[in-house]
Amino acid sequence: MNLRWSLWVAAGLSAGLAALFLLLRPQAAPEPPLVLAAASLQEAMEEAADAWSARGHARPRLSFAGTSALARQIAAGAPADLFAAADEAWMDDLEARSLLAAGTRAPLLGNRLVLVAPRDSSVRVDPAPGAPIVAALGGGRLAIAEPEAVPAGRYGKAALKALGLWNAVKDRLARAENVRAALALVERGAAPLGVVYATDAAASRQVRVVGVFPEASHPPIRYPLARLRTSDKAEAEAFRRFLLSPEARAIFARRGFEAP
């Protein structure tokens, strides 16, 4: 075997070994998507992320806050992949700014609005026209998410206005940054009553539902889901589709959410 032939063989073996090394080298796991979700989705979304992870996927990173705060972060350029909002209006705003990936917006969930009190409270008042809500508050305030911006607060304001109760309570509000913060005020006894979602009340052992607001008293509570236009993670679209699947919808239903 001449020298030139030996060099060719050696080069071939080296190339083959290099290719084999590349094939056998562990591939980097896909980067998990970052999901920005309304505060009221916390337990349900955590469970959905666990179910996705159990399928062999990297567990999505989840960040919860008021829908209005998250939408403003997205508009300001915050890096994220999916957005699950607690109302259509903030998603409409992002869509108008061309910040959603085309064709990915979809209805995710529905919810109900309730009035809650601390579990050991004896307060009795039904959210209905003419309800003595001010008397029920005593010297306290009505906990509610910020009614001018946060979805739960806007739904609550609409319901109270429709029932003719808004003028009586508008100066007796304990305004919170999101619905979970409003719930926490009632849990701690810092507020004798609070307006929250039915799913928030179900997630807490420290409050009881005093009454359910009539559905006709406020706009339908709808949670839309969308992938953001700047998302570049391969897993983002797959997880979005999973959240819309029967398996995920069963998780949300167990947590008290309704079909959209």
Side-chain angles (χ1 to χ4, degrees):
M1 183 182 294
N2 61 38
L3 179 60
R4 179 176 296 180
W5 177 254
S6 298
L7 291 174
W8 273 105
V9 171
L13 288 172
S14 296
L17 289 172
L20 181 61
F21 173 77
L22 290 173
L23 287 172
L24 295 177
R25 186 177 60 181
Q27 298 298 307
E31 188 176 355
L34 171 60
V35 182
L36 303 185
S40 53
L41 290 169
Q42 185 167 343
E43 292 83 7
M45 193 66 77
E46 292 281 6
E47 187 176 346
D50 287 342
W52 182 245
S53 177
R55 288 184 166 200
H57 299 271
R59 192 180 192 279
R61 294 178 295 142
L62 307 175
S63 179
F64 302 98
T67 290
S68 55
L70 295 174
R72 291 187 183 110
Q73 290 174 24
I74 293 168
D81 298 286
L82 300 178
F83 180 39
D87 75 351
E88 302 282 2
W90 282 106
M91 194 69 86
D92 289 343
D93 181 71
L94 296 180
E95 190 165 31
R97 296 169 184 259
S98 299
L99 294 176
L100 306 183
T104 65
R105 179 173 175 172
L108 179 64
L109 301 166
N111 213 333
R112 296 294 303 275
L113 198 67
V114 300
L115 189 66
V116 295
R119 180 161 293 280
D120 59 358
S121 167
S122 60
V123 170
R124 301 281 179 186
V125 58
D126 188 48
I133 193 167
V134 173
L137 287 173
R141 292 179 174 270
L142 176 66
I144 188 171
E146 175 51 56
E148 306 306 321
V150 180
R154 295 202 294 208
Y155 292 128
K157 179 179 178 180
L160 291 165
K161 290 183 79 169
L163 298 175
L165 303 173
W166 177 251
N167 288 337
V169 300
K170 65 181 182 181
D171 295 325
R172 301 284 305 278
L173 303 179
R175 298 169 184 253
E177 63 181 357
N178 59 59
V179 71
R180 285 304 176 91
L183 178 69
L185 289 173
V186 182
E187 289 178 325
R188 299 197 304 267
L193 290 170
V195 179
V196 301
Y197 296 124
T199 53
D200 298 310
S204 174
R205 296 182 178 180
Q206 297 168 269
V207 303
R208 62 180 176 84
V209 174
V210 174
V212 180
F213 285 90
E215 285 190 89
S217 68
H218 56 79
I221 300 174
R222 297 289 181 262
Y223 289 68
L225 171 70
R227 181 163 52 84
L228 302 180
R229 181 173 56 81
T230 55
S231 172
D232 60 359
K233 296 185 181 70
E235 287 278 271
E237 178 60 18
F239 187 59
R240 185 191 74 89
R241 291 176 181 273
F242 173 73
L243 291 175
L244 299 171
S245 72
E247 181 180 348
R249 290 197 187 281
I251 292 171
F252 291 123
R254 286 198 299 271
R255 295 287 181 175
F257 288 94
E258 300 177 353

